[in-house]
Amino acid sequence: MADHEIAADVTGTVWKIVRQAGEAVAEGEAIMILESMKMEIPIEAPAAGRLAELRVAEGDPVAEGDIVCVVTA
Amino acid sequence: MSGQKQDDAEHPVAKSDTGQEWDDPLDELAFRRAEALKQGGEAAIERQHGGGRLTVRERIAALTDAGSFREVGSLAGSGTYDAENRLVSVTPAPYVAGFARIDGRPVALGGEDFTVRGGTTFGSQRRKGGQGGFVEDLAWHYRIPLVNLIDGAGGSVTSIRKRGHSVFPGVHGFERSVSLLGAVPVASAVLGTAAGGPAGRAILSHFSVMVRGRSQIFAAGPPVVKRSLGMEIDKEALGGAAVAVDAAGTIHNAADTEEEAFAQIRRFLSYLPSNVWEAPPVLPADDPADRRDEGLASAVPHKRTQPYDMRKLLKLVIDRDSGFEICPTNGKPLITLLARLGGRPVGIVANNPMVYGGAMDAAAARKQVHFMELCDTFHLPIVFFVDVPGFMVGEKAEREGTLREGMRAVFAAGRLKVPTLTLVIRKCYGMAGMATCNKNDIDLKLAWPSAEWGSLPVQGGVAAAFARDIRAAPDPAAREREIEAEFAAYASPFRSAEAFAVEEIIDPRETRPVLCEFVELAERRQRIELGPRLRGGVQP
């Protein structure tokens, strides 16, 4: 069991939450989608596991490097 | 020059503080060599291992072809003599250097011996390594790559007392280090804590790598920061890989272990000639040049706001497993990749739509400039995989000097001499788009049907150019959409191809065959234009 803290690569806003806290996620699956520079940037699970924590909600601004969620693999 | 191999072990050893004399000078030679191999002594070697680090001799053995190390300067050090002037012991110079082979090709290499006085100087007027050190002469005179294994913090203040005066900066200057960058490949591994001169030398390299969690690099370490700024910070937070590689791009790549760092250096050198007068090394290709990958046809999503994985796309095009990414964690809107096409080394500059849509920020621009100059210096053709919406925008980007750094990339692209091929995958806009081609010389502009380009995108561009018209309309939003639709038709890449504004639009599945053919064709031109590059002008 390892916790993966997932950081946003970009500054932007949370456009859509795809997976809710507690749900199982597959490796490479989109957990949420950020909007930045008019692009929809997916935040993907680095490994299969459970979405332990969601730290942002739709519409929230995020800065580059912010931890947006935690996946327990 | 001595011909010492690392596995020599059985030699006489001084057992007391009384010195020895030898009838046969070969015995003295053997004794002195044995003293050198003791490095800083067992306790110091144990401490080095305890820190999870190899000794410099172990590093050389791990990096180079087995048994290929030919040491130069093995007897340099500080001798201790007794009252009768007989030799008691020798503390070796804290730098080990020589020639060796990597994948059968010769290199000059050296590194600080941290077990001997922390890898500082040893009192001789002549330096074995570091800036202006003999190891740089070896690389320069023999025209072979230089590998620096850096594990030292530079000069020690104790040398002032020894000399009786302080040394003016530049007496042991970086002149040779600078010349080397235009002549032979230079690779540096930062393996311990590097500050001062050794840190500077790591930067004056074509490629640098450090070990995550084990090595640090900074202009000055925590004690100096504390004295200068009153700030408490530990060395990992100040100059670990998270800062020096990921955030700053001070060092290009990070490795998890020293062995992986050496593997990266071997890999880096495999794409480059031994010097700028030789052609890049061509390997037999086991991946057919005419391979067409069906996956490329659907690599770019129809929805233009949806990004895709450029790294995956590149993998489908280059020779199987031939890629080596430089600077993967800094300047992330851009990917710089050494690779092979049909066995021939190429440099690939690709925008990464997953980060800021591939917009060029200051870090990405710096990364592109360094990589293009690297390829140009060693005569590697450059292939641009273009998906760039322009320079990064916003206050942060302006504060970072994105416009200046970005124009520096345009400037550097404009004076490339190496054959370049520009392949537009999706967006190619504005001045950042201009940094992806060079119309001075062999240059071909290709595009996929998904390509779009212009001074600025129709979306947004229309709103600005027709602001009055749109405002005056009864339904401004509808009017804006109407004008956008009209302009979108003109933005088709096929219209540009009609006007011969791009040379060709290709089926994405043809990408590999077309690129392999181009790179092979360009080789003739490369071969007659070998030698150093003269780069005039003043970078903006």
Side-chain angles (χ1 to χ4, degrees):
Chain A
M1 296 283 275
D3 280 350
H4 296 271
E5 291 194 325
I6 304 170
D9 264 344
V10 295
T11 297
T13 53
V14 180
W15 181 62
K16 194 192 270 182
I17 299 286
V18 183
R19 287 277 170 221
Q20 299 301 327
E23 289 184 355
V25 289
E27 184 182 338
E29 189 182 345
I31 294 168
M32 71 184 75
I33 297 172
L34 307 181
E35 190 181 7
S36 178
M37 291 294 281
K38 294 178 264 177
M39 297 293 283
E40 298 158 20
I41 315 283
I43 296 279
E44 296 170 349
R50 197 177 58 84
L51 181 55
E53 201 183 328
L54 208 51
R55 295 198 185 167
V56 291
E58 283 181 8
D60 282 357
V62 292
E64 197 177 315
D66 282 358
I67 305 296
V68 290
C69 59
V70 181
V71 169
T72 304
Chain B
M1 183 189 297
S2 85
Q4 182 169 348
K5 299 285 176 179
Q6 287 194 29
D7 52 359
D8 288 357
E10 290 178 21
H11 296 296
V13 173
K15 290 196 171 59
S16 70
D17 287 347
T18 306
Q20 308 183 58
E21 277 176 320
W22 293 271
D23 293 332
D24 186 343
L26 285 180
D27 289 338
E28 180 172 355
L29 176 62
F31 175 80
R32 286 177 177 271
R33 284 183 172 180
E35 288 288 279
L37 291 186
K38 286 196 231 164
Q39 303 186 247
E42 277 171 25
I45 290 173
E46 222 165 87
R47 272 198 304 279
Q48 180 83 353
H49 289 160
R53 294 170 180 168
L54 301 175
T55 67
V56 63
R57 291 184 181 276
E58 290 163 343
R59 285 168 179 162
I60 290 170
L63 169 67
T64 60
D65 297 354
S68 70
F69 182 46
R70 168 71 57 187
E71 189 168 352
V72 180
S74 68
L75 303 186
S78 317
T80 303
Y81 294 84
D82 67 10
E84 274 74 53
N85 215 16
R86 292 173 304 188
L87 181 66
V88 177
S89 62
V90 184
T91 302
Y95 195 92
V96 177
F99 295 108
R101 287 181 183 266
I102 290 180
D103 295 332
R105 299 159 68 205
V107 298
L109 83 171
E112 287 86 8
D113 187 342
F114 196 79
T115 68
V116 182
R117 284 202 305 276
T120 59
T121 51
F122 71 109
S124 167
Q125 287 302 310
R126 189 175 184 200
R127 293 164 70 97
K128 288 181 77 177
Q131 66 275 20
F134 186 68
V135 72
E136 295 198 325
D137 294 343
L138 291 181
W140 176 257
H141 292 305
Y142 291 86
R143 301 284 196 247
I144 54 176
L146 172 67
V147 180
N148 297 309
L149 303 173
I150 293 169
D151 191 358
S156 157
V157 74
T158 57
S159 63
I160 295 181
R161 194 163 55 191
K162 213 177 292 175
R163 282 195 201 90
H165 63 90
S166 58
V167 175
F168 192 83
V171 165
H172 297 293
F174 283 107
E175 292 79 4
R176 179 73 90 203
S177 317
V178 170
S179 306
L180 283 168
L181 289 177
V184 301
V186 180
S188 295
V190 177
L191 301 165
T193 301
R201 201 168 79 264
I203 311 307
L204 293 178
S205 303
H206 296 110
F207 174 67
S208 55
V209 57
M210 67 189 286
V211 184
R212 218 172 263 286
R214 299 274 185 217
S215 56
Q216 299 82 27
I217 184 168
F218 23 59
V224 180
V225 172
K226 173 86 170 96
R227 271 201 311 281
S228 310
L229 302 171
M231 188 187 284
E232 297 267 9
I233 186 165
D234 69 62
K235 62 181 181 178
E236 185 63 24
L238 187 63
V243 176
V245 179
D246 306 340
T250 299
I251 294 295
H252 296 122
N253 285 29
D256 287 329
T257 61
E258 291 197 18
E259 286 80 1
E260 193 205 324
F262 303 146
Q264 288 197 27
I265 286 180
R266 286 194 296 268
R267 184 81 188 226
F268 172 76
L269 292 175
S270 73
Y271 299 92
L272 301 180
S274 291
N275 56 57
V276 299
W277 293 269
E278 293 179 22
V282 179
L283 294 182
D286 56 5
D287 194 354
D290 59 0
R291 177 171 60 76
R292 291 160 55 98
D293 202 300
E294 290 297 320
L296 292 170
S298 55
V300 177
H302 287 298
K303 194 176 170 192
R304 62 193 295 283
T305 54
Q306 216 174 326
Y308 53 91
D309 190 336
M310 180 65 94
R311 288 187 175 87
K312 266 191 204 156
L313 189 158
L314 295 174
K315 261 190 197 156
L316 300 178
V317 174
I318 60 177
D319 290 4
R320 204 172 295 115
D321 301 323
S322 73
F324 177 61
E325 195 172 340
I326 311 280
C327 228
T329 58
N330 180 263
K332 290 201 288 194
L334 191 82
I335 298 163
T336 48
L337 185 78
L338 291 169
R340 284 190 145 81
L341 284 167
R344 291 176 174 78
V346 296
I348 291 176
V349 176
N351 306 107
N352 178 11
M354 291 289 229
V355 182
Y356 295 120
M360 183 188 274
D361 64 9
R366 269 199 301 274
K367 175 168 155 180
Q368 180 166 336
V369 169
H370 173 82
F371 189 77
M372 290 190 303
E373 290 196 346
L374 168 73
C375 294
D376 196 48
T377 297
F378 293 105
H379 312 285
L380 268 60
I382 299 176
V383 185
F384 292 96
F385 283 71
V386 184
D387 186 357
V388 65
F391 289 149
M392 185 62 193
V393 299
E395 189 193 343
K396 178 170 175 277
E398 302 299 347
R399 283 185 180 277
E400 287 171 354
T402 300
L403 183 56
R404 177 170 292 280
E405 297 288 345
M407 287 313 293
R408 190 169 289 173
V410 173
F411 176 92
R415 61 177 183 178
L416 290 174
K417 296 282 182 210
V418 82
T420 57
L421 190 142
T422 304
L423 173 64
V424 184
I425 304 296
R426 188 144 71 175
K427 298 171 189 168
C428 182
Y429 284 104
M431 295 178 292
M434 293 179 205
T436 67
C437 52
N438 162 33
K439 289 179 283 300
N440 291 330
D441 222 302
I442 288 190
D443 172 69
L444 204 57
K445 289 188 296 306
L446 306 176
W448 283 9
S450 48
E452 48 172 294
W453 44 61
S455 312
L456 74 171
V458 169
Q459 290 81 359
V462 160
F466 294 88
R468 194 176 300 168
D469 185 346
I470 290 168
R471 265 201 315 273
D475 183 347
R479 178 65 187 141
E480 186 175 337
R481 279 198 302 276
E482 188 183 275
I483 306 174
E484 276 185 7
E486 184 199 338
F487 274 75
Y490 298 121
S492 158
F494 294 107
R495 295 279 187 111
S496 297
E498 266 181 43
F500 201 39
V502 287
E503 279 85 67
E504 198 59 62
I505 292 179
I506 61 170
D507 180 331
R509 290 167 293 194
E510 298 167 347
T511 302
R512 176 173 164 81
V514 168
L515 295 188
C516 285
E517 201 176 327
F518 163 81
V519 170
E520 187 188 355
L521 272 174
E523 195 180 58
R524 202 160 270 98
R525 179 69 185 270
Q526 275 170 277
R527 274 202 304 261
I528 57 169
E529 294 193 348
L530 297 175
R533 290 281 192 239
L534 297 172
R535 294 197 180 87
V538 178
Q539 286 202 31

